[in-house]
Amino acid sequence: MILEEPGVAAAPAPARVPEYGSDLVVDLLQRLGIEYAAFNPGASFRGLHDSLVNYGGDHSPRTVLCCHEEISVALAHGYAKATGRPMVAALHDVVGLQHACMAIFNAWCDRVPVLLLGGTGPMDTMRRRPWIEWIHTALVQGNHVRDFVKWDDQPANAAGVAESILRAYRLMTAEPTGPVYVCLDAALQEDPLPKGVSLPTDLERWIHQAPVQVDPDGLQTAAGWLSQSRRPVILAETVRYGLCKVILPLREPRLNRA
């Protein structure tokens, strides 16, 4: 622990410049306010692990080492229940994802936001190490949990990583909340970041969403449309006892009595 003299401001931390795809992921997680990342270390996300520790300084997100993937997801589940905020659970490819599936299903049933970041061996077969990265690669990883996550994705390049994680975050935190899964290619994590690839400057534009209850701005817009229309029609779908469409004229034209 560093003790500072009273009245002496700490020196500003040097600006970080991301060098690899996994560095960009760490910067994005920090800007999203993700405080912790729980995982049982796995080779398929070794790039992300390295960036969390050596690039991010093991701070925001801070790593929490676990003995099993199911424990990692369960820990993130409990953290979200206690704080109302999501955290990351990183999952090794294929076997790690299979180990975690029961905990992911629990988070799905409990409507809890958990950001699941997975890894896979390089999808470029010419870059796979013999044996190990062949058995740790699937097409695609998300198939295993797609029935009990809100959304899954596997971006193909560094430029798509930020957009994929931001979309996952927005869907994860939208009511009803739930887990989402983003798989990061091992080569994508470890390759140097292409020039010109950076994070969006306005993250709020990407993750902002209207609440489940009536949005005041939307309600005002709808009221204006209804008050200014001559023959409005309401289409009601997915009501409680089935799917139906109701066409209801709210204002009948005045009949000519002549």
Side-chain angles (χ1 to χ4, degrees):
M1 181 175 64
I2 299 176
L3 298 178
E4 299 176 358
E5 295 182 11
V8 178
R16 300 185 307 192
V17 178
E19 298 182 55
Y20 305 99
S22 52
D23 292 347
L24 190 72
V25 174
V26 171
D27 279 346
L28 180 57
L29 296 178
Q30 183 181 44
R31 289 184 59 185
L32 289 172
I34 302 295
E35 297 179 296
Y36 297 99
F39 54 82
N40 179 28
S44 62
F45 60 89
R46 59 184 180 264
L48 177 61
H49 190 174
D50 176 83
S51 291
L52 286 167
V53 175
N54 295 314
Y55 176 71
D58 198 19
H59 175 73
S60 185
R62 185 174 181 180
T63 60
V64 180
L65 300 186
C66 302
C67 297
H68 195 279
E69 286 81 6
E70 189 170 6
I71 297 174
S72 302
V73 179
L75 194 155
H77 184 158
Y79 174 86
K81 294 287 284 187
T83 67
R85 300 188 301 272
M87 63 176 279
V88 163
L91 306 172
H92 188 33
D93 52 19
V94 185
V95 290
L97 187 60
Q98 290 173 330
H99 281 165
C101 64
M102 190 66 237
I104 297 171
F105 182 73
N106 288 340
W108 166 260
C109 292
D110 204 16
R111 301 184 184 274
V112 171
V114 178
L115 181 54
L116 306 163
L117 295 182
T120 181
M123 296 308 292
D124 182 351
T125 58
M126 303 305 295
R127 301 183 61 175
R128 294 178 190 169
R129 293 177 295 167
W131 186 64
I132 190 65
E133 286 186 341
W134 287 84
I135 65 172
H136 281 172
T137 304
L139 187 63
V140 289
Q141 306 279 342
N143 279 340
H144 192 67
V145 294
R146 187 162 296 159
D147 291 334
F148 43 93
V149 294
K150 289 190 70 176
W151 188 69
D152 74 274
D153 195 25
Q154 187 168 318
N157 52 54
V161 168
E163 182 175 348
S164 178
I165 294 178
L166 286 171
R167 184 178 181 188
Y169 185 91
R170 177 172 58 84
L171 294 172
M172 170 185 66
T173 55
E175 295 290 346
T177 60
V180 291
Y181 175 73
V182 178
C183 182
L184 304 174
D185 189 304
L188 186 154
Q189 299 175 52
E190 299 172 12
D191 282 349
L193 201 62
K195 291 183 178 180
V197 176
S198 61
L199 298 179
T201 56
D202 183 13
L203 291 191
E204 184 63 22
R205 184 177 72 85
W206 290 78
I207 63 176
H208 176 76
Q209 53 196 317
V212 173
Q213 58 269 28
V214 178
D215 180 35
D217 292 336
L219 187 60
Q220 186 68 28
T221 300
W225 288 348
L226 288 172
S227 63
Q228 297 171 20
S229 62
R230 296 183 59 188
R231 298 182 183 179
V233 175
I234 294 178
L235 300 179
E237 296 191 27
T238 319
V239 294
R240 183 174 181 182
Y241 293 107
L243 180 65
C244 69
K245 289 187 178 182
V246 179
I247 300 179
L248 177 63
L250 298 183
R251 185 181 303 164
E252 293 290 347
R254 185 180 297 274
L255 298 177
N256 186 354
R257 299 183 181 180

